[in-house]
Amino acid sequence: MVEPKIICVTGGKGGTGKTLVAVNLAILFKNRGFKVLLIDGDVENPNTYLLLNAKLKNKTEVLYFLPKIIEDKCTKCGLCAENCETHALLYIKDSYPIPISTVCSGCKLCYKICPTNAIEPDLKVIGWTYTASAFNIDLFLGELKPAEARSAVIVNKLMENLENVIKTEPEKYDIVILDTAPGAHCDVEELLSGADLVIPVTEPTRFGKLDLLRIIELIDLLKKEHKAIVNRSSLLGYKDKFLKELEEIGIEILGDIPLDEEIVSSYCQGIPLMEEKSKFDRDGAGYKSFEIIFENLIKWGEISK
Ligand code: SF4
Ligand code: SF4
């Protein structure tokens, strides 16, 4: 029984091209005969399905637990508030506790320990998960409800769905590609933690370098192997200097992707650049760069079929 290899594509800042990389790597694996699952964990801005021109289906609500105090049953003992780690229950002696939803973690401890069953779940929809399929790639995608803050709950749900698939059908996928949100916060950490290999994507600017260093700090803390991709590497002729700077600080590079009109065209058409049936130029700079990156990735991850 062989479980899938999990590759996480991430980036310290937005707009570096993470999704471009994640989608095209998924396509390259599929072209080679791998069974591929792509997970879009950028739940505040999920757009992999647009690049894949995929129709989302199986919309499923993600519910979040908040406590609701049933005053008829509450004896005002204060046990729930005493045990709430995040101090999300405001309690004054001889009064009913008042839940503070903004600090409640949804752990359900109060609900479990209340001696008189005076706490009931007040379930709240905070977002949705979807599935889709395109170009023979399966997609799991999460979406956070506007004005909601608990994006990590949606990301957890996506990873729970992945775990269930691995448990019930371990050989359903050979490769799982995780596309994270930008930044180095808890949503990203959740996805990085589940990965075998991590690919941070950056661009050759000072901001790009700074954000790359920030995300690598987190990847190192999680003790994950990583190699970076430099996107838009031909920007302002800064490529060689930038790659040298990264090399000097010990950051390994998987490859670089130049500015390329065909990449923009693939975005506009919703056809991934590396899709084998597409009409993109096989000798184009963007196409070639992805081929090199893919071969380097196969070697680095010792990935075979
Ligand atoms: S533990 Fe139950 S009974 Fe005690 S204050 Fe909390 S809700 Fe009321
Ligand atoms: S669910 Fe957990 S965090 Fe929220 S009020 Fe209850 S004990 Fe506190």
Side-chain angles (χ1 to χ4, degrees):
M1 187 176 79
V2 187
E3 289 189 358
K5 191 89 154 180
I6 303 180
I7 299 167
C8 184
V9 181
T10 189
K13 74 192 239 341
T16 55
K18 287 178 296 81
T19 303
L20 169 83
V21 170
V23 165
N24 280 290
L25 288 182
I27 291 283
L28 280 158
F29 276 112
K30 181 270 300 185
N31 292 350
R32 269 298 164 93
F34 289 83
K35 294 171 281 179
V36 185
L37 171 67
L38 177 61
I39 298 185
D40 190 338
D42 187 356
V43 300
E44 286 185 54
N45 188 25
N47 53 21
T48 42
Y49 74 104
L50 294 174
L51 281 187
L52 286 166
N53 216 350
K55 200 169 170 0
L56 297 178
K57 48 188 187 182
N58 298 322
K59 183 174 183 177
T60 307
E61 289 178 341
V62 179
L63 299 171
Y64 190 78
F65 172 93
L66 286 172
K68 182 174 165 193
I69 311 294
I70 309 300
E71 295 186 355
D72 289 351
K73 293 186 182 174
C74 178
T75 58
K76 304 175 185 168
C77 69
L79 186 72
C80 52
E82 262 169 49
N83 287 282
C84 174
E85 280 204 4
T86 60
H87 306 291
L89 287 161
L90 180 65
Y91 174 69
I92 298 164
K93 199 172 177 306
D94 297 328
S95 306
Y96 297 115
I98 301 169
I100 308 167
S101 64
T102 47
V103 281
C104 172
S105 69
C107 73
K108 297 187 191 162
L109 182 71
C110 52
Y111 169 67
K112 289 177 193 157
I113 63 170
C114 173
T116 59
N117 296 325
I119 295 182
E120 282 185 1
D122 184 10
L123 297 175
K124 194 174 165 214
V125 178
I126 57 156
W128 306 271
T129 59
Y130 303 83
T131 63
S133 205
F135 302 103
N136 274 332
I137 291 170
D138 286 348
L139 175 67
F140 288 0
L141 180 142
E143 181 189 13
L144 185 69
K145 193 173 176 179
E148 268 299 337
R150 295 179 177 95
S151 50
V153 178
I154 315 265
V155 172
N156 283 340
K157 188 71 200 160
L158 290 171
M159 291 307 274
E160 207 180 286
N161 292 348
L162 170 63
E163 265 174 43
N164 288 339
V165 172
I166 293 177
K167 217 182 280 168
T168 52
E169 295 172 87
E171 296 186 10
K172 183 165 185 184
Y173 300 110
D174 305 307
I175 294 285
V176 177
I177 297 185
L178 311 174
D179 181 20
T180 78
H185 44 86
C186 51
D187 303 14
V188 178
E189 188 194 334
E190 168 79 18
L191 293 169
L192 291 174
S193 302
D196 299 308
L197 304 170
V198 181
I199 303 174
V201 181
T202 188
E203 58 183 19
T205 63
R206 296 184 74 165
F207 294 122
K209 184 176 165 187
L210 199 71
D211 288 318
L212 176 67
L213 293 178
R214 197 171 295 138
I215 190 73
I216 285 184
E217 209 179 311
L218 176 61
I219 301 168
D220 283 341
L221 275 173
L222 296 168
K223 299 187 173 54
K224 298 288 174 181
E225 280 191 66
H226 55 83
K227 286 195 186 196
I229 289 179
V230 180
N231 188 25
R232 302 187 195 96
S233 57
S234 50
L235 193 69
L236 304 172
Y238 189 48
K239 170 182 160 183
D240 291 343
K241 186 169 180 280
F242 190 75
L243 291 178
K244 192 156 179 281
E245 278 179 23
L246 297 189
E247 195 189 316
E248 280 168 5
I249 51 176
I251 295 176
E252 288 193 64
I253 305 294
L254 193 62
D256 67 280
I257 305 163
L259 282 171
D260 183 57
E261 263 185 34
E262 295 226 306
I263 293 179
V264 182
S265 167
S266 79
Y267 258 105
C268 299
Q269 295 179 54
I271 301 172
L273 181 74
M274 303 312 288
E275 167 53 28
E276 53 190 351
K277 293 190 189 105
S278 77
K279 299 212 165 50
F280 294 113
D281 180 8
R282 301 310 193 239
D283 293 320
Y287 200 97
K288 289 254 170 244
S289 67
F290 267 108
E291 283 185 329
I292 293 169
I293 286 169
F294 185 65
E295 291 310 325
N296 289 343
L297 173 59
I298 292 275
K299 261 187 247 154
W300 170 43
E302 296 172 357
I303 302 167
S304 59
K305 249 196 82 60

